[in-house]
Amino acid sequence: MTRFIFFILIAVSSAIPGIHHDRITLDELKIKVSGASREVAYTNKEAGYYYTETQAEHRSGWQGWHIMSVKMMDDYRVSINGLPLKKADVNMAEVYPHQLHRSYTNGVQEYFTMLDSLDALVVELQNVRGSIVTLSPLFDDSRSRDDYLITWRNKVMLIAKKRHPARTEKENYPVWIGVTSAPLITSLGMVPDSIDEAPRYGPERFDGQPWHDRITFIVVAGDSVSQTVERARDVAVHYLTRVAGRKRRMENFLNASYFRTDDGRFTRAIQWAKISMDALIMNQLRKGIFAGLPWFDNYWGRDSFISLPGATLVTGDFSDARKILESFAAWQDKDPQSPTYGRIPNLVTTNSIAYNTADGTPWFTLAAEDYVRYAGDTAFRREIFPAVKLGIEGSLVKRADDKYFLTHGDAETWMDAVGPDGPWSPRGTRANDIQALWYSQLRTGSEFARSLGDTASATRWSTVADSLRANFNKYFVEGDSEALYDHLRADGSGDVRFRPNQLFAMDIVNDPLLRWKIFQHVTERLVYPHGVASLWQDDPDFHPYHHFEPAYVQDAAYHNGIVWTWLAGRWIDAAVHYGYSDLAFHVTRSMVDQILDRGAVGTLSELMDAAPRPGESKPRLSGAFFQAWSLAEFLRVAYQSYAGIRVNAITHKLTLQPHFPASLTRLKCTIPIDADTIEARYYLQNGKGEVALFSKRGSPRTDVTIELPYDHGHDRISHLVLQPGLPVTLLIDSQKVSEKTATGVRTLEPIYSESDRSQSNTIHLARPEVRPDLRALRMPSHRMLSDEEIKTVGAGARVLYEADDPAGDDNGTGTYTYPTTPNLQPGSLDLTHFRVSSDGKNVFFVLRFRNLSNPGWHPEYGFQLTFGAIAVHKDSKAGSGKRIVGRNANYILDSSDAYEDIIYVGGGIRVEDTSGNVLCEYRPVTGDEKNPLGSIQTKTVSFAIPAEIIGVPDSTWRYTVLIGAQDDHGGAGIGEFRAVGGEAGEWIGGGKKIPGDPNVYDLLLPVHK
């Protein structure tokens, strides 16, 4: 058990009697990186981000400059007198919240800054020794100059990818990239740089002349040539002011939401987390929060509402909080005929909206109440109430069962990973966390209704909530096991898998002892020193590592064992409540270490492995490297759990119930409440100390309640009134709390309340162990092929079959259109040539396309988003094989072409027989990018299959080739044919007139002799 430590907050820049304020600067947050490179990302707080490396060339296709979820540029290359500045020659990088500083071995200093609110990058170079300095924009999806539009206008070099001007009305990303320099001295019309490092290509270069030993390059994006030129020249003139303004904005933000402790590393991590979290509050379409970088550069409802308190409310950013809630209310499903009627979106991208989650709407309601409580914005209650009411009534009409449980699909909770064979962690039809959130939604909605005079709704929803809670305690308690069922299945049976979702259901549990047991068991089974696991390691389906190809694809582990950083927030809430602040802070320190020393600089990842790999000392980071709810929960618990701050601006009441660990004794911080900012200083050691409070402005008074641990069974509660402009110091010792003001000292009368803090000292964190007999770590029973095997070159192989297919026939039944995502380039579903050859040991297949896409998500594939099936008819007997093509093809072969074997090609290769048995499989692994399955340069997918598996072909074999768009459901793996609907969307094809038609865009039929 940890001893009690009390916290309190400090002020902003104004001088306050008795409170000293050290201004936070970005310079003190500098993180030096030498040796191994670290990832770093910046945003412009609109719709753009830049993801790069401190000291290395880009290692992932996700890296580069992105705007409106579209990759604009892979990187840039700087050369001095024709010699490139190589990232490998950076001997040290200094990462600041606003910019990146690289120091090269030749003395050149580079300062990279992404500007606020503009699609603009600034690359400042100092200590340059050379007469000509060149900047070349680099691209990784084409190496042909013919694929680019290049022009010069008013000393600005302009480049556009030719496919961009053909964007659809739904696509609103910029088209042009403009490059200029400051000073504006340049040589025009230069030839392309000799950049041969695949897969990056620079179609044109901009040559500038330094002024003394300095030059600054400006890179901008725009919708038109004129807009891009105007923006480039404007930034070239004003970039110094804008860079300084970006730095000033961040410093003002940190000092307006001041937080400094006597633990320097914890303090630095808090400041970095604030800046990183604020960087994800964007204005893409409307105000929202990017869920995470690099692949969640869009708005996820659930993530946004969980993030809202830590992202905006504890820092006093009430304006953004309100706008984010208004954005999602505007996107609510208001169609009474829709099965998702009343739901707040799960996902909003630049051109699509999805409502496939059960918990987004409850989290929305709770976030709205949190906002009102912090901001005191009672007018917002009335404005948002229609959305709150619709969310509740829609669920009661469409989704509540006879026990008022909220029903949902297998993948409609936060554990939502789905593969071609269905959900990886099915939790339908009634998950425990969904019921608890639904209960809170009903209670909060009832309070909203009552405050607005809708007593009928308030009474009805309150009654439903009472019934729901009673039924939950009747049906979800797992017998005598002192745990909750994770979910109830459709037949009413309970799932006994031990998951962390119980943490979210504790408040709906009636029995205090059961609540304590849930906390204890979750702690000792799921909480490692580095975070909270998604599944107990004794479960037979436990996956210890996120990536463990080729044994399994990454989504198989997504919610089945690995650690989710954001879950630590809810566990820390419970830990400090039960008096285990020191234990909780042990997990917090792991997050501090990550922010400062591991992975991407200054931020928190989405995931971590459950255990270190053999020979490694720390679990690997994984998932999105820059995750919103990870950062937000880290910040929220600092204020709400450790500091124990509870705000009610409606009644202007402040409650302080600190639970700081023993290692912290001092804290200064600001508390936003309505239009007021209460400043405080806290010091307490060995049960003695003082707290200073100051309210500079706001309402006439703030009622303050301070709850301090008294013994194991009781808390000591003291009340005082804080008047604006009158500082108060609380003198605290083991016997009493005294209030010291300018008029004197008085003892506060305490009230003693019962506490449910545990008296046990035996609770401990789980210890991760990887058992050698884990089912997940076993290789599949069928033969697994390596990259070396599938890329075997058969010298002297004899061509057995070869056929051309017309270009431009990739339209399915004649009307199909591609999904609207710009990542799928035109022609990527258009097969133009197919060849089969053999050397007797292997059978070689080559598929050539009009084009191929490579967004870079999986460099080991060499391509992506194209999916194929090769049906092989071997016995010359009509109807002897199988006619149905699987993996969502919706295609039936002619009986004369029925296959004995079928080869699926997408995120790997899989060969199946007529019974669906897998004969062999190739799953790409890291390193295969050296010789990948597909090549965008040659526009081919080529591979070999051992003849001992598929047989030695002869001239009688016939082949049917089906091509469509690949859908791996975001989790990697072989994938399947992506669905085609009536209207194209971001990730669904369009133009299908009959629902049962195939999901096949191009078809090569065998030649019948």
Side-chain angles (χ1 to χ4, degrees):
M1 296 283 288
T2 183
R3 66 180 177 83
F4 159 76
I5 287 192
F6 180 66
F7 112 112
I8 263 196
L9 313 117
I10 165 181
V12 287
S13 56
S14 57
I16 301 172
I19 296 181
H20 175 68
H21 178 92
D22 295 321
R23 183 171 175 81
I24 298 168
T25 68
L26 297 194
D27 291 341
E28 69 182 89
L29 301 182
K30 174 179 64 180
I31 293 179
K32 293 183 178 181
V33 183
S34 58
S37 179
R38 293 180 67 183
E39 299 163 296
V40 63
Y42 295 101
T43 80
N44 66 354
K45 289 187 64 64
E46 285 293 321
Y49 73 91
Y50 201 94
Y51 170 26
T52 188
E53 296 280 339
T54 56
Q55 296 138 278
E57 301 297 336
H58 288 177
R59 294 176 284 182
S60 163
W62 291 100
Q63 292 180 306
W65 189 16
H66 300 250
I67 303 171
M68 293 294 288
S69 297
V70 173
K71 188 173 184 179
M72 299 298 299
M73 185 175 79
D74 180 72
D75 201 357
Y76 58 87
R77 171 65 54 82
V78 173
S79 300
I80 300 175
N81 286 352
L83 296 176
L85 279 179
K86 296 182 179 180
K87 301 293 195 324
D89 292 334
V90 175
N91 55 18
M92 185 180 67
E94 295 175 329
V95 184
Y96 297 86
H98 69 299
Q99 75 178 183
L100 170 62
H101 172 208
R102 296 183 177 110
S103 297
Y104 291 85
T105 54
N106 62 1
V108 173
Q109 306 297 308
E110 176 190 359
Y111 296 85
F112 170 86
T113 311
M114 190 173 202
L115 297 183
D116 283 351
S117 305
L118 282 174
D119 292 326
L121 313 175
V122 176
V123 181
E124 300 176 78
L125 299 170
Q126 299 180 12
N127 201 29
V128 175
R129 299 290 183 264
S131 58
I132 298 294
V133 184
T134 297
L135 185 139
S136 301
L138 303 181
F139 305 92
D140 62 2
D141 53 356
S142 176
R143 294 182 61 81
S144 171
R145 186 177 172 87
D146 292 338
D147 289 337
Y148 302 88
L149 299 172
I150 302 171
T151 187
W152 291 78
R153 189 77 55 85
N154 206 3
K155 295 187 177 180
V156 177
M157 181 179 76
L158 296 137
I159 299 176
K161 298 176 185 178
K162 285 184 178 179
R163 72 176 187 273
H164 278 190
R167 61 186 179 173
T168 68
E169 291 181 0
K170 288 186 175 181
E171 297 168 325
N172 48 10
Y173 51 86
V175 169
W176 290 94
I177 289 175
V179 181
T180 191
S181 69
L184 286 171
I185 304 173
T186 180
S187 302
L188 304 182
M190 304 306 296
V191 297
D193 242 349
S194 57
I195 299 170
D196 299 320
E197 299 178 13
R200 299 175 185 88
Y201 174 70
E204 181 65 287
R205 73 186 197 194
F206 183 100
D207 283 1
Q209 299 175 21
W211 182 257
H212 298 293
D213 64 349
R214 301 188 177 199
I215 188 171
T216 298
F217 290 103
I218 309 299
V219 186
V220 303
D223 291 329
S224 64
V225 167
S226 59
Q227 182 194 61
T228 307
V229 170
E230 181 181 357
R231 180 171 294 166
R233 294 182 64 84
D234 178 73
V235 173
V237 173
H238 300 292
Y239 75 91
L240 287 174
T241 301
R242 289 201 167 104
V243 170
R246 178 176 169 89
K247 182 178 182 181
R248 184 170 57 253
R249 171 184 65 79
M250 293 181 181
E251 288 185 339
N252 290 342
F253 167 62
L254 292 177
N255 285 282
S257 61
Y258 197 86
F259 192 102
R260 194 188 288 275
T261 75
D262 55 348
D263 183 325
R265 284 180 59 82
F266 180 54
T267 298
R268 279 167 56 83
I270 288 288
Q271 315 308 340
W272 266 106
K274 284 184 179 181
I275 290 294
S276 295
M277 182 63 252
D278 183 68
L280 294 176
I281 300 176
M282 304 293 280
N283 198 31
Q284 183 168 274
L285 302 180
R286 299 175 65 110
K287 185 66 69 174
I289 299 174
F290 276 4
L293 300 177
W295 41 77
F296 299 133
D297 56 342
N298 35 46
Y299 301 156
W300 290 71
R302 173 199 306 116
D303 301 51
S304 297
F305 311 136
I306 291 172
S307 299
L308 202 75
T312 63
L313 301 183
V314 300
T315 61
D317 184 11
F318 299 151
S319 175
D320 279 345
R322 192 184 215 273
K323 291 175 183 176
I324 292 166
L325 292 166
E326 289 172 338
S327 293
F328 276 93
W331 289 318
Q332 187 175 28
D333 186 351
K334 302 178 179 67
D335 179 6
Q337 306 306 314
S338 170
T340 58
Y341 176 55
R343 277 187 176 178
I344 297 293
N346 180 40
L347 173 62
V348 179
T349 73
T350 56
N351 57 20
S352 66
I353 299 178
Y355 298 93
N356 57 330
T357 187
D359 55 357
T361 310
W363 279 117
F364 168 82
T365 302
L366 301 183
E369 174 61 15
D370 283 341
Y371 163 73
V372 172
R373 192 167 56 249
Y374 265 87
D377 188 355
T378 54
F380 181 73
R381 268 188 173 169
R382 186 170 299 279
E383 176 186 323
I384 210 69
F385 183 66
V388 170
K389 185 172 184 176
L390 180 58
I392 293 174
E393 293 295 341
S395 290
L396 287 172
V397 171
K398 299 280 188 177
R399 293 174 287 278
D401 67 11
D402 59 351
K403 297 179 180 62
Y404 295 112
F405 291 142
L406 189 61
T407 63
H408 53 82
D410 273 333
E412 290 191 331
T413 76
W414 76 275
M415 293 185 166
D416 56 2
V418 176
D421 299 322
W424 288 107
S425 309
R427 300 186 67 223
T429 57
R430 289 147 294 175
N432 57 18
D433 53 324
I434 298 298
Q435 308 317 311
L437 288 166
W438 169 229
Y439 172 78
S440 297
Q441 179 187 4
L442 288 163
R443 284 291 181 205
T444 301
S446 181
E447 293 172 9
F448 267 53
R450 187 169 288 107
S451 69
L452 296 172
D454 186 352
T455 56
S457 295
T459 302
R460 185 172 69 259
W461 298 342
S462 182
T463 301
V464 171
D466 290 341
S467 298
L468 171 65
R469 181 166 189 160
N471 287 327
F472 184 92
N473 283 273
K474 180 178 180 180
Y475 292 100
F476 271 85
V477 177
E478 188 187 327
D480 298 326
S481 66
E482 299 173 334
L484 300 175
Y485 290 123
D486 180 68
H487 61 275
L488 300 183
R489 303 182 184 92
D491 62 3
S493 61
D495 183 274
V496 297
R497 289 194 168 185
F498 200 87
R499 296 186 179 276
N501 305 301
Q502 297 180 79
L503 290 169
F504 299 95
M506 287 175 61
D507 290 345
I508 199 175
V509 172
N510 290 333
D511 183 1
L513 180 58
L514 177 56
R515 291 197 295 268
W516 155 252
K517 288 294 185 181
I518 290 170
F519 166 72
Q520 181 184 27
H521 292 326
V522 168
T523 301
E524 296 183 345
R525 294 180 181 181
L526 295 175
V527 185
Y528 306 132
H530 59 285
V532 181
S534 49
L535 183 67
W536 188 21
Q537 59 189 357
D538 282 359
D539 191 284
D541 201 34
F542 176 73
H543 292 61
Y545 314 122
H546 187 205
H547 288 270
F548 200 70
E549 297 84 358
Y552 54 78
V553 298
Q554 63 200 50
D555 261 15
Y558 205 40
H559 302 106
N560 288 322
I562 54 176
V563 166
W564 284 73
T565 308
W566 79 277
L567 289 174
R570 185 53 61 104
W571 176 77
I572 290 170
D573 289 341
V576 301
H577 172 79
Y578 286 114
Y580 291 97
S581 297
D582 283 352
L583 196 67
F585 206 63
H586 192 75
V587 176
T588 295
R589 283 197 185 281
S590 173
M591 292 186 276
V592 169
D593 292 344
Q594 184 183 156
I595 291 171
L596 300 180
D597 304 326
R598 298 191 66 199
V601 178
T603 188
L604 287 170
S605 66
E606 178 188 15
L607 311 167
M608 297 181 74
D609 283 351
R613 309 290 176 109
E616 300 180 10
S617 61
K618 294 181 179 180
R620 294 182 186 178
L621 309 180
S622 194
F625 70 90
F626 195 130
Q627 190 77 358
W629 58 6
S630 300
L631 292 161
E633 284 293 271
F634 175 76
L635 291 168
R636 183 189 63 78
V637 298
Y639 284 85
Q640 294 184 352
S641 294
Y642 292 129
I645 301 170
R646 295 291 183 271
V647 168
N648 190 334
I650 300 170
T651 57
H652 223 76
K653 292 182 178 179
L654 171 66
T655 300
L656 303 176
Q657 191 179 13
H659 300 94
F660 262 53
S663 58
L664 295 181
T665 61
R666 301 175 186 271
L667 173 67
K668 297 178 179 181
C669 176
T670 56
I671 306 173
I673 177 170
D674 197 354
D676 198 0
T677 300
I678 295 177
E679 302 165 350
R681 180 192 67 236
Y682 151 80
Y683 169 72
L684 189 70
Q685 192 170 30
N686 298 325
K688 299 179 182 180
E690 64 180 44
V691 173
L693 295 172
F694 181 80
S695 174
K696 186 175 181 180
R697 60 186 185 278
S699 65
R701 53 181 278 168
T702 302
D703 294 326
V704 180
T705 299
I706 300 179
E707 299 184 19
L708 308 174
Y710 183 67
D711 56 30
H712 283 299
H714 296 86
D715 288 333
R716 181 173 60 187
I717 302 174
S718 302
H719 298 281
L720 63 95
V721 174
L722 183 64
Q723 301 285 358
L726 300 177
V728 172
T729 301
L730 301 175
L731 306 176
I732 302 166
D733 60 34
S734 58
Q735 302 299 319
K736 64 182 184 299
V737 177
S738 301
E739 176 188 5
K740 179 182 179 181
T741 64
T743 59
V745 178
R746 70 181 182 94
T747 300
L748 300 177
E749 286 293 328
I751 299 173
Y752 297 95
S753 67
E754 290 188 4
S755 168
D756 58 0
R757 287 189 306 279
S758 168
Q759 299 191 34
S760 169
N761 293 313
T762 60
I763 195 169
H764 59 83
L765 298 178
R767 179 180 178 180
E769 297 180 1
V770 180
R771 301 190 311 275
D773 61 341
L774 274 176
R775 183 169 64 193
L777 301 185
R778 300 174 194 164
M779 293 295 290
S781 58
H782 54 266
R783 180 170 170 180
M784 298 298 294
L785 304 177
S786 67
D787 180 71
E788 183 179 7
E789 288 178 289
I790 66 115
K791 299 305 287 189
T792 295
V793 177
R798 184 167 62 95
V799 175
L800 300 170
Y801 181 82
E802 194 165 16
D804 290 323
D805 188 65
D809 62 344
D810 49 339
N811 53 12
T813 60
T815 57
Y816 286 11
T817 59
Y818 281 23
T820 59
T821 172
N823 294 297
L824 183 57
Q825 296 190 32
S828 296
L829 310 182
D830 191 4
L831 182 72
T832 59
H833 188 78
F834 175 66
R835 185 177 74 236
V836 181
S837 59
S838 178
D839 62 359
K841 294 182 180 180
N842 294 283
V843 183
F844 303 96
F845 297 86
V846 177
L847 299 95
R848 181 171 293 114
F849 297 83
R850 182 159 53 93
N851 206 347
L852 269 185
S853 301
N854 186 16
W857 305 330
H858 294 281
E860 65 274 19
Y861 297 4
F863 77 106
Q864 208 168 0
L865 297 174
T866 299
F867 191 81
I870 305 171
V872 185
H873 178 53
K874 301 192 294 188
D875 64 4
S876 300
K877 298 178 182 178
S880 66
K882 186 175 181 179
R883 298 176 60 196
I884 298 174
V885 178
R887 308 206 74 78
N888 202 37
N890 275 3
Y891 191 88
I892 300 177
L893 298 170
D894 185 86
S895 61
S896 61
D897 299 324
Y899 63 85
E900 281 69 49
D901 292 330
I902 190 165
I903 306 167
Y904 294 107
V905 185
I909 302 168
R910 180 178 293 177
V911 183
E912 296 181 2
D913 63 16
T914 56
S915 298
N917 299 313
V918 180
L919 304 180
C920 69
E921 187 173 8
Y922 162 66
R923 296 176 182 173
V925 300
T926 300
D928 289 359
E929 60 271 15
K930 297 175 183 177
N931 192 14
L933 177 60
S935 166
I936 63 168
Q937 279 75 43
T938 62
K939 300 178 175 57
T940 60
V941 175
S942 58
F943 58 92
I945 302 293
E948 62 182 349
I949 294 174
I950 198 171
V952 178
D954 59 38
S955 60
T956 66
W957 285 23
R958 293 203 299 269
Y959 309 89
T960 305
V961 184
L962 303 89
I963 302 298
Q966 187 218 30
D967 187 358
D968 67 358
H969 298 269
I974 183 71
E976 63 183 3
F977 286 94
R978 185 175 293 277
V980 180
E983 182 179 352
E986 183 178 17
W987 293 111
I988 186 171
K992 182 184 285 190
K993 296 182 177 180
I994 301 174
D997 279 348
N999 295 314
V1000 175
Y1001 280 79
D1002 201 359
L1003 180 67
L1004 176 63
L1005 293 172
V1007 177
H1008 291 252
K1009 296 182 179 179

